[in-house]
Amino acid sequence: MNSIDRPALLIGCAAGFSGDRTDAAGPVVDTLIARLQNGPAAQRAFLIFETLAERTLALAQLRRRADPEAGYEPLLDAMLRPVLARCLAHGIRIVSNFGAANPRAAARHIGRMARELGAAAPHIAVVEGDDLSAPAQLALLRKQLGAEMDNIRVVSANAYIGAEPIAAALDAGAQIVVCGRVADPSLTVGPAMSHFGWRSDDWERLGRATMAGHLLECGAQVCGGYFADPGYKEVPGLEAVGFPIAEIDADGCCTIGKADGTGGLVTEATVKEQLLYEVHDPAAYLTPDVVADISDAEVHGLGADRVAVSGVRGHARPTHYKVNVCHEGGWLAEGEISYAGPRAEARARLAADVLKKRLVDLALRVDLIGAVSVLGDDAGRTLAATPDAGLRDIRLRVAATHEDRAQAERLAREVMALYTCGPAGGGGVRTALTPRLNTISCLLPREAVPVSFARIDEETPA
């Protein structure tokens, strides 16, 4: 069948980040199955999970250091097990970056999961090449970053690779493709390239599919989740907000909807917000697959939680991959204590002043939760003394970072001491000490980052 004659591709997204709701996939898969059963014989459907962020990947690498069989999405079982057998039985292929720092271990785990569910052994592929933490690759990064690489302890180094190896794996028969750090929209572009047979330089179609992937990648966000603002932007049934499903045609144009029978809504407004989300330049949204251009994009509501997007353009992809290097950044110490009743804010400010004087060698971040926190900066410039505004419930949070764990721990002890060292009436102390991760970025030529896929179902024990 010519690609132009192929029916629209269905792609549902069941996660927008690591830690997302684990019951999202069920309604998405139910809807995909219903549409496959009522659609043309050649229609295909995919389920994607987007579960990576920069810090997520670094934390996964730390887990892998502690256990060679760990380092993939910790909620993999909870997300995938309830729908895996049904996906395999109905021909719904699965593509995700829940491989994180250990795609092969994730793939082996999925193979075991399928056997435990009594499903036929799936064909599983892993996408490789994004992990640049080997010594030779770190040496290449050192050439790019220079002195920034001096005196740091690297935790993870990953390139944002694209859709080509995903498409190649699907073309080779993979039912499940497990990735590490691929660009979020590439989880959608790869299936579209495979289904429609697009070339890797078909910039217009790739640009449109990239923005379809961009609309899907944050999960329920496009279905009203991040949109909701009571009294201004009402969203019904937010407790059961749906997750999105895109219909992508042979030209890459898409219609966005959501899983049947779920809460939330898909409107022109929700789609416009997500279309612009995290886009620095609407005329040049850079991805490893294409430079997408939404400067002339149009959004049209079709009714019944369906919105069409058209007018997206595409330009030649960048010549370099973006690379993030995460490294150890010392320790983050936090302490909290509550003050309530008359003059609560004044007592909280006095407590903060005590801590600043006793920890004069630490740069403290002070937040008065209930008075000012989100809008305060690290220098405390919004925390100048003000007349007590009559606030009767304040949570004081103080934080500091330090390379030396012992120095960071001093903050926790000083906050605890406020119980009896004053001011009056403090309670509910909570402290935490967390390893801190920092990030530096650079660009590497594409030819310096070879990418590939490998079928690993043969490696999964029967």
Side-chain angles (χ1 to χ4, degrees):
M1 181 182 294
N2 188 289
S3 65
I4 201 69
D5 299 322
R6 292 183 181 176
L9 177 64
L10 302 175
I11 303 182
C13 178
F17 65 99
S18 179
D20 209 342
R21 291 181 180 171
T22 58
D23 60 352
V28 174
V29 171
D30 290 344
T31 304
L32 291 175
I33 291 172
R35 294 188 188 179
L36 287 172
Q37 290 173 339
N38 295 313
Q43 190 153 50
R44 297 289 180 266
F46 283 80
L47 179 66
I48 66 173
F49 296 82
E50 200 291 288
T51 63
L52 275 189
E54 290 73 22
R55 181 178 172 84
T56 312
L57 189 50
L59 293 172
Q61 194 66 261
L62 291 174
R63 290 194 297 272
R64 185 178 185 180
R65 287 183 186 178
D67 176 2
E69 282 300 303
Y72 53 84
E73 169 54 47
L75 293 176
L76 176 58
D77 250 66
M79 287 179 170
L80 189 57
R81 186 179 290 270
V83 299
L84 178 58
R86 281 191 295 149
C87 285
L88 294 173
H90 290 274
I92 298 172
R93 298 198 200 182
I94 297 165
V95 178
S96 178
N97 55 16
F98 45 40
N102 203 346
R104 286 181 176 255
R108 289 192 291 269
H109 185 73
I110 294 169
R112 290 191 297 270
M113 196 187 305
R115 293 195 302 277
E116 292 165 4
L117 293 169
H123 300 307
I124 307 174
V126 295
V127 168
E128 298 176 312
D130 65 293
D131 190 340
L132 303 178
S133 58
Q137 293 162 318
L138 287 177
L140 181 61
L141 290 172
R142 184 172 294 279
K143 289 182 180 178
Q144 295 295 113
L145 289 165
E148 288 189 89
M149 288 285 283
D150 294 341
N151 304 315
I152 67 170
R153 295 183 294 276
V154 174
V155 173
S156 63
N158 295 83
Y160 283 72
I161 63 177
E164 284 185 88
I166 297 174
L170 295 169
D171 290 345
Q175 295 166 279
I176 301 170
V177 181
V178 180
C179 309
R181 180 70 279 176
V182 297
D184 299 346
S186 300
L187 299 173
T188 295
V189 177
M193 290 179 69
S194 175
H195 178 66
F196 294 114
W198 296 338
R199 302 185 318 274
S200 61
D201 62 352
D202 192 340
W203 308 127
E204 297 285 11
R205 291 184 173 91
L206 293 177
R208 296 173 194 135
T210 288
M211 297 320 295
H214 178 68
L215 291 169
L216 290 175
E217 70 188 47
C218 291
Q221 195 160 302
V222 74
C223 300
Y226 205 59
F227 176 83
D229 191 351
Y232 179 58
K233 298 183 295 183
E234 298 289 350
V235 176
L238 196 61
E239 74 283 355
V241 65
F243 277 61
I245 296 173
E247 301 172 22
I248 302 174
D249 69 20
D251 282 326
C253 296
C254 74
T255 298
I256 300 294
K258 67 182 182 68
D260 297 339
T262 59
L265 78 173
V266 178
T267 66
E268 291 184 10
T270 70
V271 170
K272 287 176 182 177
E273 281 200 7
Q274 179 59 29
L275 198 64
L276 294 171
Y277 178 71
E278 292 183 336
V279 173
H280 174 257
D281 181 352
Y285 179 56
L286 305 179
T287 80
D289 302 309
V290 67
V291 176
D293 180 350
I294 61 171
S295 56
D296 292 321
E298 297 183 1
V299 174
H300 300 284
L302 304 178
D305 292 311
R306 286 170 53 81
V307 174
V309 179
S310 60
V312 177
R313 304 292 305 275
H315 309 292
R317 67 191 183 189
T319 58
H320 289 62
Y321 287 123
K322 176 184 176 181
V323 178
N324 276 351
V325 178
C326 286
H327 59 95
E328 295 178 15
W331 298 87
L332 169 65
E334 300 172 273
E336 297 180 7
I337 186 169
S338 291
Y339 294 90
R343 296 170 301 283
E345 182 178 349
R347 285 180 282 132
R349 289 184 182 278
L350 176 56
D353 189 56
V354 167
L355 293 171
K356 288 179 180 178
K357 289 176 178 177
R358 290 189 59 80
L359 299 169
V360 67
D361 54 331
L362 294 179
L364 300 187
R365 160 81 189 219
V366 176
D367 295 312
L368 272 64
I369 301 169
V372 62
S373 56
V374 174
L375 300 179
D377 64 16
D378 287 346
R381 280 174 287 196
T382 62
L383 301 180
T386 60
D388 192 289
L391 298 167
R392 299 173 62 88
D393 189 348
I394 296 290
R395 182 77 170 166
L396 171 66
R397 174 188 178 269
V398 182
T401 60
H402 203 282
E403 291 296 317
D404 186 344
R405 176 173 182 154
Q407 291 299 314
E409 286 175 335
R410 292 168 52 218
L411 182 142
R413 294 197 300 272
E414 289 292 341
V415 173
M416 187 68 70
L418 291 172
Y419 265 131
T420 57
C421 294
V429 169
R430 180 178 297 139
T431 64
L433 188 69
T434 309
R436 195 163 181 256
L437 295 169
N438 293 334
T439 302
I440 52 178
S441 302
C442 68
L443 300 174
L444 281 183
R446 298 180 74 93
E447 58 270 19
V449 185
V451 299
S452 62
F453 77 91
R455 279 275 298 274
I456 67 97
D457 37 291
E458 294 87 354
E459 302 174 13
T460 307

